[in-house]
Amino acid sequence: MAEEKMWEGIPRREVPWYPTVDEELCIGCQACIEHCPAGVFEWDDERDVPLVVNRYDCIVYCKGCANACPEEAISFPEKSEVVELVKKLRVQYASG
């Protein structure tokens, strides 16, 4: 079994920071894939859209793919909500 990915002492699976692709808006330019240093996406040749296949590899608070998308087809959760959740998770995991 693979070791669980952690982010700042928190299991990465508990931090809901990863992209969502609106396939209706996506034009298939692949800018998201080119700009993602973490390998979050794979290309679906059949549907001609990016798939989020490694969501927990996404760098927390990075929005490079969304910024690169000319059609604004990529979205993320509200950062302020994730920041608040992370504060609670830090307390939870610090207390063991």
Side-chain angles (χ1 to χ4, degrees), residues 18-90:
Y18 44 83
T20 299
V21 178
D22 183 333
E23 293 182 15
E24 297 290 319
L25 294 176
C26 179
I27 60 170
C29 70
Q30 299 190 26
C32 53
I33 292 175
E34 294 169 13
H35 284 81
C36 179
V40 172
F41 300 97
E42 284 185 11
W43 191 254
D44 183 329
D45 288 323
E46 209 170 277
R47 294 185 0 235
D48 205 29
V49 295
L51 301 176
V52 178
V53 294
N54 298 306
R55 64 185 181 175
Y56 298 124
D57 288 346
C58 185
I59 299 165
V60 178
Y61 306 134
C62 178
K63 292 177 72 174
C65 60
N67 294 335
C69 180
E71 298 300 314
E72 299 181 359
I74 299 174
S75 61
F76 282 84
E78 282 296 321
K79 183 177 177 180
S80 61
E81 292 174 16
V82 175
V83 167
E84 287 306 309
L85 174 63
V86 165
K87 287 179 185 176
K88 292 175 186 171
L89 290 171
R90 281 189 177 130

